[in-house]
Amino acid sequence: MLYGRSVETTAIDDVIARARGGAGAALVLRGEAGVGKTALLDLAAARGGGMRVLRATGVEPESDLAFAALHQVLRPVTGLLDALPEPQREAVRGALGLGGGAYGDRFLLAAGTLSLLAEAAVPDGLICVVDDFQWVDRASADALLFAARRLGTERIAMLLAVRSAGEPGRDGPAVHEGVPLKGVPVVDVAGLAEPAAAELLNARVAAAIARTVGARDGIAGSMGGGIAGSMGGGIAASVRRELVAQTRGNPLALRETITLLNPEQLAGREPLPDPLPGGSQLFGEQVAALSAPARTVALVAAVESDLDLILRAAARLAAQAYALSSPPLAAAEVGRAGLREMESAGLATVSGTTVRFRHPLIRSAAHEAADPAARRAAHAALAELIEGDRRAWHLAEAALGQDEHVAAALERTAARARDRGGYGDAATALIRSAALTPAPLARAARLKDAAVAAWLGGRPGQAESLLAEARELAGSDAGLTMEIAQLRGRFELNSGNAAEAVRILAAGESLDMLADASEAASYVGDTEAIIAIGRRAAAHPEGFLRDVLAGIGATLADGSGDGLLRRALGRTEELTEAAEFLWACAAASYLGEADLSAEFVERAGRVARVSGKAGQLPVVLEFVATAERLAGRLAQSQAVSEEGLELAREAGYANTVAAHLANLAVVAALRGKEETCRRHAQEALAIAVPHRVGLRVGTAAYGLAMLDLTLGRFAAAHDRFTALVAAGPGAGHPTVVWRTTPDRIEAAVGAGDLGGARQALEAYEGWSANAATAESRALLARCRGLVLGALDDREGPAAHLEPFFEAMRLHDNPFEAARTGLLLGERLRRAHRPAEARAHLRAALETFQSAGAEPWARRAHGELRAAGESTRAPRGSVLDTLTPQELRIADLVADGLSSKEIAARLFLSPRTVEYHLYKIYPKVGVGTRTELASLVVLQKAPVAGQDML
């Protein structure tokens, strides 16, 4: 019976109702021990009707065993694994020890968990409840929370009960450090108000009286004679108020405390004890009242729940103790007798092959009642009886001082967890292993490995602390010191100060470390550092990476890197890794060939999604999103960045978060969404400026400049572009300056700064000298047309149109072709050639509409009307009605992927993909996948007529 829980019950009913309706949701119940969270979870499980129920409970002894809780949740539905996409299926099988494990990536595992829960929800829905979430192992917590944040299209209700933050268990904070509950609604479960507490207490008294009256031979039940002795007198109102005040209305404390009070205290004739029992003390007296053998059994049960192991370990401990004294009973009987005594006292129950304490606080009380030596002895006895990861942890708890044998066992445990994607638990095992390691260098190596695991597990703060500790221990070992330095640099580059990353990484000599240093310098925008690193890389043997690094450096130094970069690109058929394709992207970019650069980015994205190394995906998606934007596919760019932003936040990659925010700012600018652009830009700058990530500072600043240009505020745009050019390393970036020069020239011409426009053109001609692609030549021609036409208008408005015609012949990028067509159409109209103008303006209008670039479409529409064509106001693309997620799915359908393949790419369940398709079809007016694919291809295709002339 629940008292006074109407708010909590309503929230639970709402989550279940939403799940039944196909709009799944999650809820966290947070409160102190004993407040009634478990009772609320029981209520939720009972409210599901015909819905399937999956349950798990976090247990302290298993909190360091990777995937222990996930195994509890998913074990009943592993028969559904074949329905999952292959990468997700193998990741889940590996995590659960079912023979998979080819994909030890936590994102794939988390997506597989969501997919399996979605399959289990068919046909009537699913309720997943996890109690004591604070003791769930980190790997399971990551997977379950990933799923909890993505239930919007599933028939799943997930409820997690967690102790309030800062309320410690026996081993530290009750809530795992670094397991964020952000994104999951939280209901704080507080103590009962006095009216509800009064109901609970009165019901407790009535039940005690009934048991006493009905007890044979007048013997009261486990409540004792206290309450029964007061008979019908109940509890005095003043006593009830005092109990509620001192227990803060905690139901468990109320129920248990009154069993310890005598009738005089309950009636208010004697004062209440001060203080009342609370916390683990609530059961301390009951544990202390057990016999010595029973306390031994309770201690073993506090660290191991398996019945057979408890009995055997208790027998070993009893045999050791009885060798010194005469036993009251045989060692073999100690366990059974102890369990009977615990059950009689109401402290624990035996359920099948498991011993369960009535409440987790009883476990804490049993553990705290034993001295440290007894605890070590219990763990040692258990370690002799089991193998594998649990044995390693028991050995660690039994160790007194450092022990290399135990440290090595924990290191092997960490390796197994890491191979299955349990990086957080691997880090925990390696930290304990390092603490047990006698040799300083070996300890440093294990701390270094722990830092890597913590980083991959999404805990960058812990990773940096561990690496700092490893660095202090590494001493003069050059190899280990350099490994640690490279990791420090990578950590700084991903989530810290990029300029500091350059300083750290540039101290290395290996080609890999020089590549990392060059990457860091490119993020900062430190041209001198990139040149110096390129010269050092040139001393290494010829190869793809060496040629890229040396070629970039030479290009920036004196423009002589063209041959090296071309030679590197000639090796791209040998590339297999996403990171390698990103270096190819960089080589093409420095050659001025943005379209070829975008092609390599697309290949990097495909590799990252299917390689089983999805942890690198948030970074790769930075470049994919940029390539989509540069190609004019604004909706697709937004969708990719929103996906990347979510994954980057999950992974703790702060600088990647800034990258996606900056790109979203530019997309919003091109679409004329001023408030959205400014919000994303400011959020990006808040990260990128203090972190000295000039590339992202520059992109965010470009977004603000482009917003002004898009909205026709040429003077303001010109000022922003000028500031962007002048920004130094960490506050701007030469690549951003180069890529945005066509926009800067357009802003300068519009603002009347013809000298600035000519100067920008001269710089752009130098940067584009080595560019060989048609699109790069088209942009250069457009810039020449803008500048020449603005500088000399003596021959009339038709003068200097040839560069625009040349650009239109060369353009491969539909969006850039539309911008050139708009500029050309404007000039043709003013030259009294309206028929020619209308053809270009009409094509530009259609492209802008398709891209959702409304301000540009309005401008083209206005020019078209001025040229004499009566046309309706701009209309958006039919694909604009799709959400970013729906658009990504539509794009992949157009690529010919099945629902399972799409699910694997986007970390969704196949059923979620099908749900989105069901929503997409009526939005865009199609009825089949084939029709949808044709529509997407048509919308992406170059606009008819854009390649005229």
Side-chain angles (χ1 to χ4, degrees), residues 682-745:
Q682 292 305 322
E683 290 177 3
L685 291 169
I687 298 170
V689 169
H691 287 191
R692 304 284 294 159
V693 190
L695 180 59
R696 304 315 172 195
V697 175
T699 304
Y702 167 61
L704 295 171
M706 201 64 203
L707 177 67
D708 287 328
L709 180 62
T710 296
L711 297 179
R713 301 190 291 244
F714 295 106
H718 181 45
D719 289 343
R720 289 190 183 276
F721 279 118
T722 301
L724 186 59
V725 173
H733 201 280
T735 298
V736 176
V737 173
W738 162 65
R739 278 188 170 173
T740 63
T741 297
D743 304 306
R744 174 158 58 104
I745 291 171

Side-chain angles (χ1 to χ4, degrees), residues 337-362:
L339 284 175
R340 286 194 296 270
E341 189 174 340
M342 291 168 62
E343 287 185 303
S344 297
L347 298 177
T349 59
V350 177
S351 175
T353 60
T354 302
V355 176
R356 301 186 185 280
F357 287 96
R358 180 161 57 84
H359 192 275
L361 286 179
I362 302 175

